[in-house]
Amino acid sequence: MSKKIVFSGVQPSGDIHIGNYFGAVKQFVDFQDSHECIYSIVDLHAITVWQDPNLLRNNIHEVLSIFLAAGLDPDKNIIFNQSKVSEHSELAWLLGCTARVGWLNRMTQFKDKVGKNKDTASVGLYTYPILMAADILLYKANQVPVGDDQKQHLELARDIAQKFNNDYKVDFFKLPVPIMNKNATRIMSLRDARNKMSKSDVSEFSRIMIKDSNDEIIKKVMKAKTDSMKMPENIDSSMSRPEINNLINIYSVCNNLSKEATIEKFALKNIADFKKDLADVIINTIEPISKNSKKLFKDKSYLDDILKVGAERAKNIASYTIKETKKIIGMM
Ligand code: TYM
């Protein structure tokens, strides 16, 4: 039986934080032996908000070096930057004619990002989910490892695939499903547990970056906002305390423990003691990735070779899908 196809992407719009790592990249690594995996550094998505060209180039290498340091094997996976495979943009146009304006108007991420400044946002930011659908459908991916914030975009990709298949009476595009990492579907900000941990939060203390030094990690964890009670003794009391619940989730994913096991281990202990242990396990998890990625980052020609080979392999699949899609639509 042929392996199922996995596709996912990460924007090179800044360094990777532990939300990106646990929500997405760690899952990418878990899939690489059992699935046919295609992972893209989605630079076309990144420019929906202005990027400094030099920084963008730098960030593409940066994200790739973190992928590799986290354990992604470039021989087992197709790894490339999105703009090298022009079929992504082409399919986005074709699917843009299937997607409905009303569907895009429902996208909460767009609304959250632009707030009251809708008129000055780029058109690309608005049509972003169509490009994301194209990324996935181009490779007929069945499974898409992502964090919870991408769930609505995945639903839109399914709607587009389904409408296309219905409109042209074909069974062509597969309907992709999101795959989430149980305790890391949404790692929250360390400053305000109502918001997800995000690259764009103004406070550096809201997130732990893969490349943070050990001292920075300790400082951020010890300063993480919590209440002043003892550690919770069961799931219900943990769930009613969002800040501590978030830290318990992070501890659990770092140690591959169930949430119940983490709660039992620290029940009724002091939060400060828990935080010390938490900083240790975060450091143990990300220090090797951080060190290794810094080494890999220096070898630009090695990184460029990986992107070149990855793009060639991706293009082979993508160009076939475009040819078939055009045929279905009635183009020569
Ligand atoms: P991006 O670059 O914002 O984030 C990369 C991945 O990290 C996940 N993530 C999180 N997971 C848990 N907790 C968090 N706080 C957290 N923050 C981010 C995201 O869900 C994502 O999986 N639109 C995508 C990129 C993309 C894509 C695709 C993904 C483009 N095309 C096709 C899947 C399939 C994005 O902006 O990810």
Side-chain angles (χ1 to χ4, degrees), residues 3 50 70 75 79 81 104 114 138-139 162 175 180 185 193 210 225-226 230 236 246 255 283 288 305 320:
K3 289 179 177 174
W50 189 82
D75 293 328
I79 305 174
N81 60 308
L104 282 184
V114 300
L138 204 43
Y139 303 97
Q162 195 140 41
L175 306 194
M180 294 189 207
T185 58
I210 294 292
K225 193 176 158 219
T226 57
K230 299 271 183 201
D236 285 346
N246 185 38
N255 274 355
I283 289 169
D305 278 353
Y320 182 75

Side-chain angles (χ1 to χ4, degrees), residues 8 11 19-20 45 128 132 135 146-147 149-150 184 187 197 199:
S8 196
Q11 292 193 58
N20 302 129
H45 278 104
Y128 174 118
M132 185 164 156
D135 296 342
V146 279
D149 61 324
Q150 299 302 318
I187 302 279
M197 185 176 285
K199 292 173 197 168

